[in-house]
Amino acid sequence: NILREWHVVDWCLYDDFRINNYGGEYQWFYQQLIKLENTTGPSFANCSDQMVCGFGDPNSPPVNPCSGNIILDPGISDDCTTLEDLKINYKIDFNNDGNYDELGYSNNYGNQYPYPNPINLPVLVFDAVDYARSALYDVGTHLIIWNVEDGCGNINNCQYLFTIEDCKPPTAFCETGISTIPMPQVAGGFIDIWASDFDLNSSDNCTASSDLV
């Protein structure tokens, strides 16, 4: 809001009043209230689907090896409100199955939580300037919804899918040598050797050994 003070003087009559002491002061005062309204909500520079390869986290062996690290940052900004004053929250639906699994919001929301949390999901509270989410997620396609409110009460949201793809092929461990006796020549001289005969506990980061082909 802007307060503007107007002062209008009729100098001809005002000077005559001062000299001859006529009635009336011939000056007026008025206070004008100017309200500036912003109706443009926060914007997102990048609200498109994302994909990264998941190779697990070699620095944290207990973590699920069938996972990958991704930075979730839609590029939030606003034309009137600085980033640290924006109210930001997000929710993540793992595997995009319609059930939200993780919630987060900036600490300038105070004690008011923007989403209901009846089943006590994990909640991350962060500074608005540090809203970008960098974490390890399981292989699969997940949904994230960002919601941002500026200082004028304008709200905008952004949602996209992010996929952690299994890009690591299985690791093959093979026997170094196999011995067998061929069938007699009259029987064709064939030898049956199965792939399982060569396998020495091959493995994969996402597929169980029993399911490898």
Side-chain angles (χ1 to χ4, degrees), residues 54-57 60-68 136 139 166 168 204-206:
F55 298 107
D57 186 356
S60 301
V63 174
N64 179 8
C66 188
S67 60
L136 204 67
V139 164
D166 176 20
K168 182 180 181 297
D204 185 68
N205 64 321
C206 285

Side-chain angles (χ1 to χ4, degrees), residues 22-124:
Y22 290 153
E25 293 188 4
Y26 305 107
Q27 59 179 333
W28 301 268
F29 297 91
Y30 178 75
Q31 190 177 73
Q32 179 186 24
L33 174 62
I34 301 175
K35 294 184 176 181
L36 301 179
E37 182 179 11
N38 175 266
T39 59
T40 303
S43 59
F44 303 92
N46 180 21
C47 194
S48 55
D49 294 347
Q50 301 181 37
M51 191 279 290
V52 298
C53 286
F55 298 107
D57 186 356
N59 298 317
S60 301
V63 174
N64 179 8
C66 188
S67 60
N69 188 76
I70 188 171
I71 299 176
L72 301 171
D73 181 2
I76 298 172
S77 62
D78 188 73
D79 61 343
C80 277
T81 305
T82 58
L83 182 59
E84 59 266 26
D85 292 327
L86 291 175
K87 295 180 178 180
I88 304 171
N89 56 68
Y90 73 84
K91 52 184 178 179
I92 297 179
D93 174 5
F94 295 151
N95 299 312
N96 193 27
D97 59 5
N99 298 312
Y100 294 106
D101 305 277
E102 181 180 305
L103 309 172
Y105 65 99
S106 55
N107 51 20
N108 53 14
Y109 267 104
N111 295 324
Q112 177 187 2
Y113 186 63
Y115 289 117
N117 191 13
I119 57 176
N120 296 319
L121 296 176
V123 177
L124 176 69

Side-chain angles (χ1 to χ4, degrees), residues 128-143:
V129 293
D130 297 321
Y131 71 88
R133 183 84 176 101
S134 175
L136 204 67
Y137 293 103
D138 291 348
V139 164
T141 297
H142 316 295
L143 172 71

Side-chain angles (χ1 to χ4, degrees), residues 170-209:
T171 300
F173 289 99
C174 301
E175 293 279 5
T176 57
I178 295 178
S179 298
T180 186
I181 299 175
M183 298 292 289
Q185 186 67 31
V186 295
F190 294 107
I191 300 175
D192 287 335
I193 300 177
W194 298 90
S196 57
D197 296 332
F198 286 94
D199 181 38
L200 189 62
N201 196 24
S202 299
S203 63
D204 185 68
N205 64 321
C206 285
T207 304
S209 296

